[in-house]
Each structure stands twice: as structure tokens, then as C-alpha cells.
Amino acid sequence: QVQLVESGGGSVQAGGSLRLSCAASRYIYSSTSMGWFRQAPGKEREGVASIDSDGSTRYADSVKGRFTISKDNAKNTLYLQMTSLKPEDTAMYYCAADGVRMIWVSYNYWGQGTQVTVSS
């Protein structure tokens, strides 16, 4: 069974920080790319950050300098460290695997999502 399980979401004030985690099965973890995506109510899903199997990372312009994607091979876990959070970062955040960069429609496996709410 293929699974991605996110955790770490919550409510925080603007300027605060959160770290999201995504525990993956070993099979998924060996895929080409993994990424974090988000979707706010009434908006389309958008790419936040992605990391390739060689460790190359990409970020949406809106989060560059504030968010950091990383992975721990030993723990089969993907992370998203979020700092200097803004109210516009409020969304459901999803972990995804087996896709291409931050093209969300290309990803084959998705977690259930974790809510991030940033208050002003």
C-alpha cells in the first residue's frame, strides 16, 4: 500500500514558524521528485516547493527565502520548514511524490493534507 502521511500543521500568528513533515513508504521515497503543494479555499492548487532525487530544490516565488524543503533519507521523511509566515500562506498543505518539479497534475501519490492557518 502506497502512503504519504503529513503532520505538523496548525495555527500560528504572522511572523511565526511551522515545520511540516511527510512520512513516506520506501518505494515512494525512491521516486524522482517529491513536493509540497497548497490549496486555499476558492483557489487552485499551487506548487510550494519540490526536491529531486539528487537533492535539487525549487520554490514558488512567493515562498523563496522563507520556506525550506528537505528530506531525511534515513527516516523516509520529507519536510517543509516555514518561517516568517504570512496570512496569505493559509491553506491546506499536501505532500506529493512521483512527479515532475512543481507541476501538481504530474504527481501520482498524495497525502491527506494538513491545515496551516496564519492569523494577522
Side-chain angles (χ1 to χ4, degrees):
Q1 189 75 15
V2 171
Q3 281 191 325
L4 296 172
V5 181
E6 301 107 330
S7 60
S11 297
V12 64
Q13 289 190 331
S17 300
L18 286 172
R19 188 177 80 159
L20 306 183
S21 299
C22 173
S25 68
R26 187 169 184 84
Y27 170 78
I28 296 177
Y29 207 73
S30 299
S31 65
T32 302
S33 298
M34 296 188 74
W36 288 98
F37 298 81
R38 67 186 181 187
Q39 188 166 18
K43 295 187 177 181
E44 291 190 357
R45 189 167 297 190
E46 62 176 356
V48 176
S50 68
I51 185 166
D52 295 342
S53 57
D54 65 357
S56 300
T57 57
R58 296 175 179 84
Y59 297 93
D61 288 342
S62 59
V63 306
K64 281 182 182 177
R66 300 188 298 121
F67 290 10
T68 303
I69 189 171
S70 62
K71 59 182 180 178
D72 185 327
N73 290 331
K75 296 181 179 180
N76 291 338
T77 302
L78 182 72
Y79 300 101
L80 184 69
Q81 179 67 50
M82 305 185 294
T83 63
S84 301
L85 283 161
K86 303 176 181 180
E88 51 264 44
D89 294 318
T90 295
M92 185 70 78
Y93 282 71
Y94 298 91
C95 167
D98 190 20
V100 178
R101 299 186 293 276
M102 289 192 290
I103 305 169
W104 73 266
V105 294
S106 72
Y107 279 76
N108 292 312
Y109 304 113
W110 291 86
Q112 80 287 353
T114 185
Q115 178 68 37
V116 172
T117 302
V118 184
S119 59
S120 57

